[in-house]
């Protein structure tokens, strides 16, 4: 569950330090280690960088093992694409997939631990029937680099070749409401109807805000009854928190999320907090 707005000033600063890395799903390598860059990150040197990355055959992803530190990396997003936004292994900026067909597979922030999917649940990538043929890892840095610094932040992606009983997907809620200043409790609400024949079984819940976020909650309404999916402080490690209850979201169920911010120290409207 991703709650935006986040702090616009931080986003503007991180735009210069945002890196994308693409993998084509080709040759076998288990587990697959996806490194961000092991080269200087000085802005004037980025355009000359070329990276060779080993891919893998069509497989099933069951575990995401990050190696990053929040002192340097604000967050990492791993996307699946039919085609990457650019025909090269590395680029800067917000473009991810061509034709806007991106799928979030994994997200990391605030020194969250690795994420192992439940038994018989996995992401399918690279097969003829999959919409995901490439992986693009996007790294947002907490601070601009100064000088010649090497960075090896990334993700180890653990794969198997056995098709699971359940396929995983990430359902993303995003709030675009600006945050008004001077409130210790400023709430934004998000909701939508689920329209689909496939039942959804939530098994993990993740939040994301920047420094102003205090609590993020998610619910769904079935047969006139509200059921909580998850609730978490976004200032804690932003992990995928397991959902212990057996939940099922069906067609025409109402899904909703609430994001609470503390803007008491702000003097002007914040687009992202």
């Amino acid at each position: 569950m991703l709650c935006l707005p986040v702090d616009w000033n931080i986003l503007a600063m991180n735009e210069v330090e945002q890196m994308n890395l693409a993998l084509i799903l080709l040759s076998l390598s288990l587990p697959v280690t996806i490194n961000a860059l092991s080269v200087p990150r000085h802005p004037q040197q980025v355009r000359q960088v070329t990276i060779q990355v080993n891919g893998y055959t069509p497989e099933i992803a069951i575990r995401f093992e990050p190696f990053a530190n929040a002192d340097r990396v604000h967050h990492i997003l791993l996307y699946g694409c039919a085609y990457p936004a650019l025909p090269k292994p590395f680029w800067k900026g917000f473009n991810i997939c061509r034709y806007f067909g991106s799928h979030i597979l994994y997200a990391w922030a605030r020194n969250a631990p690795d994420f192992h999917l439940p038994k018989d649940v996995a992401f399918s990538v690279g097969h003829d029937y999959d919409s995901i043929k490439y992986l693009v890892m996007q790294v947002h840095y907490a601070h601009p680099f100064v000088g010649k610094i090497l960075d090896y932040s990334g993700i180890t992606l653990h794969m198997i070749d056995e098709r699971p009983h359940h396929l995983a997907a990430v359902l993303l809620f995003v709030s675009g409401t600006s945050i008004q200043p001077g409130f210790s409790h400023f709430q934004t609400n998000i909701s939508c109807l689920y329209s689909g024949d496939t039942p959804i079984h939530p098994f993990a819940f993740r939040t994301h805000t920047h420094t102003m976020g205090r609590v993020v909650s998610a619910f769904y309404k079935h047969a006139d009854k509200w059921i909580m999916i998850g609730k978490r402080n976004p200032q804690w490690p932003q992990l995928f928190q397991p959902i212990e209850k057996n939940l099922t979201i069906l067609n025409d169920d109402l899904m909703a999320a609430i994001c609470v911010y503390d803007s008491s120290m702000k003097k002007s409207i914040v687009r992202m907090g």
Side-chain angles (χ1 to χ4, degrees), residues 4-17:
L4 298 177
V6 290
D7 194 291
W8 179 255
N9 293 325
I10 294 177
L11 184 64
M13 178 183 70
N14 288 342
E15 182 177 358
V16 179
E17 301 300 326

Side-chain angles (χ1 to χ4, degrees), residues 66-131:
F67 48 100
N69 191 284
D71 290 339
R72 173 173 292 183
V73 177
H74 185 270
H75 65 276
I76 298 175
L77 295 168
L78 182 64
Y79 293 90
C81 304
Y83 298 97
L86 299 174
K88 54 185 180 180
F90 164 74
W91 65 93
K92 294 173 62 179
F94 288 90
N95 294 327
I96 303 162
C97 302
R98 200 184 309 174
Y99 312 126
F100 306 100
S102 63
H103 305 270
I104 293 179
L105 302 184
Y106 175 73
W108 174 93
R110 291 188 171 271
N111 292 332
D114 65 335
F115 179 51
H116 200 302
L117 276 75
K119 180 178 173 58
D120 214 18
V121 177
F123 290 94
S124 179
V125 295
H127 301 87
D128 291 340
Y129 51 80
D130 290 326
S131 60

Side-chain angles (χ1 to χ4, degrees), residues 207-220:
T207 67
H208 179 72
T209 70
H210 284 193
T211 57
M212 293 169 59
R214 293 298 176 262
V215 63
V216 178
S217 310
F219 309 83
Y220 72 97

Side-chain angles (χ1 to χ4, degrees), residues 4-248:
L4 298 177
V6 290
D7 194 291
W8 179 255
N9 293 325
I10 294 177
L11 184 64
M13 178 183 70
N14 288 342
E15 182 177 358
V16 179
E17 301 300 326
Q18 179 175 310
M19 312 298 170
N20 299 276
L21 182 66
L23 302 179
I24 184 171
L25 310 183
L26 289 177
S27 60
L28 180 63
S29 176
L30 299 177
V32 178
T33 299
I34 308 172
N35 288 323
L37 281 181
S38 56
V39 295
R41 288 295 179 83
H42 194 280
Q44 282 73 29
Q45 296 175 324
V46 166
R47 293 180 182 176
Q48 284 73 46
V49 171
T50 300
I51 306 171
Q52 298 295 324
V53 183
N54 292 327
Y56 46 89
T57 56
E59 291 291 343
I60 304 296
I62 61 169
R63 181 185 174 194
F64 303 89
E65 184 180 1
F67 48 100
N69 191 284
D71 290 339
R72 173 173 292 183
V73 177
H74 185 270
H75 65 276
I76 298 175
L77 295 168
L78 182 64
Y79 293 90
C81 304
Y83 298 97
L86 299 174
K88 54 185 180 180
F90 164 74
W91 65 93
K92 294 173 62 179
F94 288 90
N95 294 327
I96 303 162
C97 302
R98 200 184 309 174
Y99 312 126
F100 306 100
S102 63
H103 305 270
I104 293 179
L105 302 184
Y106 175 73
W108 174 93
R110 291 188 171 271
N111 292 332
D114 65 335
F115 179 51
H116 200 302
L117 276 75
K119 180 178 173 58
D120 214 18
V121 177
F123 290 94
S124 179
V125 295
H127 301 87
D128 291 340
Y129 51 80
D130 290 326
S131 60
I132 297 174
K133 299 297 192 296
Y134 293 79
L135 299 180
V136 175
M137 186 179 70
Q138 188 176 87
V139 183
H140 294 238
Y141 288 93
H143 310 284
F145 287 5
V146 177
K148 187 176 181 179
I149 297 177
L150 300 180
D151 180 50
Y152 298 87
S153 303
I155 301 166
T156 298
L157 183 57
H158 295 258
M159 316 290 285
I160 61 174
D161 57 8
E162 180 182 351
R163 184 174 173 83
H165 184 67
H166 299 285
L167 292 178
V170 175
L171 182 63
L172 180 67
F173 271 53
V174 179
S175 169
T177 305
S178 296
I179 302 170
Q180 301 298 316
F183 291 89
S184 60
H185 181 110
F186 186 87
Q187 180 172 312
T188 63
N189 304 311
I190 317 154
S191 65
C192 67
L193 281 174
Y194 173 59
S195 178
D197 296 328
T198 303
I200 297 176
H201 303 284
F203 62 85
F205 172 78
R206 183 183 184 273
T207 67
H208 179 72
T209 70
H210 284 193
T211 57
M212 293 169 59
R214 293 298 176 262
V215 63
V216 178
S217 310
F219 309 83
Y220 72 97
K221 186 178 183 181
H222 177 75
D224 293 327
K225 179 182 178 182
W226 283 103
I227 302 167
M228 177 176 283
I229 299 173
K231 181 178 181 180
R232 190 169 173 85
N233 183 342
Q235 303 309 317
W236 296 345
Q238 293 181 4
L239 50 78
F240 283 89
Q241 178 175 304
I243 297 172
E244 304 299 335
K245 298 174 291 184
N246 185 13
L247 305 178
T248 302

